[in-house]
Amino acid sequence: ELKVEQNPLFLSMQEGKNYTIYCNYSTTSDRLYWYRQDPGKSLESLFVLLSNGAVKQEGRLMASLDTKARLSTLHITAAVHDLSATYFCAVPSGNTPLVFGKGTRLSVIA
Amino acid sequence: AAGVIQSPRHLIKEKRETATLKCYPIPRHDTVYWYQQGPGQDPQFLISFYEKMQSDKGSIPDRFSAQQFSDYHSELNMSSLELGDSALYFCASSPGLNTYNEQFFGPGTRLTVL
């Protein structure tokens, strides 16, 4: 059974600082998704990582995938308040289309 | 671009009542997925359909049933509602059956059971 673990689950960071969120998964997969969710809202697709070594950047967020280590990272550069949200990684498996991590609740404070 | 449409957006029901949630996928998407997200939880896969046939089944209670119609829209029917059914219910759609195809999520239906 595929398990997806994120850490940290809660993150409070100051504006302007950098930080990395980690996503580990337990079985082989060659793709991984990152989503952002604001409270009570839908899941907004951030990144689709399709192969080993994939790296994608959008604004202050950069995601990477290491399929051999079964690890993805979401790096935040110079955080701003607008990045406050919950971030989920998700991995597709054979029997379950997407298995999500528990989410990282990010709060960016001045 | 057209997105996934869900209705209603909010629904309040009493215990033991029934509820029906609807999902209209992105045009030309033939696969629909249903997820349940409890308060403070991650989304959990319930069930999916491809070309009007059930394709995968997750942690969907026996009290729930779903189907996909000829126009590809899907309905999730929930009976004997319990307090624990209060959650956000998301529908997602994708082109094709491959579970590795990217899924596009709708805005969700917030169900509150009193």
Side-chain angles (χ1 to χ4, degrees), chain A residues 11-86:
Chain A
L11 177 57
S12 179
M13 53 188 300
Q14 284 189 312
E15 283 187 331
K17 297 293 187 182
N18 305 331
Y19 207 86
T20 300
I21 299 170
Y22 297 89
C23 175
N24 291 90
Y25 53 98
S26 61
T27 63
T28 302
S29 179
D30 63 356
R31 63 188 59 194
L32 184 141
Y33 302 90
W34 283 97
Y35 294 92
R36 168 183 170 143
Q37 187 178 39
D38 292 296
K41 303 295 185 182
S42 187
L43 295 156
E44 174 190 352
S45 179
L46 291 175
F47 299 107
V48 179
L49 302 172
L50 298 177
S51 61
N52 186 43
V55 177
K56 290 194 174 180
Q57 182 162 6
E58 181 72 34
R60 300 175 187 274
L61 301 178
M62 183 173 70
S64 66
L65 177 63
D66 182 342
T67 58
K68 294 179 182 177
R70 299 176 186 168
L71 169 69
S72 179
T73 61
L74 180 65
H75 187 72
I76 303 159
T77 301
V80 294
H81 179 72
D82 285 351
L83 290 179
S84 297
T86 298

Side-chain angles (χ1 to χ4, degrees), chain A residues 31 33 37 42 45 97-98 101, chain B residues 35 37 42 56 100 102-103 106:
Chain A
R31 63 188 59 194
Y33 302 90
Q37 187 178 39
S42 187
S45 179
L98 280 179
Chain B
Y35 293 85
Q37 186 179 28
D42 54 294
D56 284 299
Y100 288 86
E102 184 178 3
Q103 298 174 31

Side-chain angles (χ1 to χ4, degrees), chain B residues 16-95:
Chain B
R16 292 179 288 278
E17 285 191 322
T18 61
T20 297
L21 310 185
K22 297 184 179 182
C23 169
Y24 299 85
I26 292 171
R28 290 181 294 282
H29 282 194
D30 47 16
T31 306
V32 169
Y33 308 85
W34 286 98
Y35 293 85
Q36 177 192 57
Q37 186 179 28
Q41 304 294 314
D42 54 294
Q44 295 289 319
F45 170 67
L46 293 178
I47 195 167
S48 62
F49 293 87
Y50 168 68
E51 285 289 346
K52 293 152 281 186
M53 299 288 290
Q54 180 183 309
S55 55
D56 284 299
K57 192 172 182 180
S59 52
I60 184 169
D62 291 340
R63 299 177 289 107
F64 294 7
S65 64
Q67 56 183 322
Q68 184 180 33
F69 296 86
S70 58
D71 63 351
Y72 297 108
H73 94 272
S74 178
E75 295 184 3
L76 177 66
N77 300 293
M78 311 159 72
S79 62
S80 303
L81 287 170
E82 302 173 356
L83 294 178
D85 296 329
S86 295
L88 265 172
Y89 290 83
F90 291 108
C91 170
S93 74
S94 70

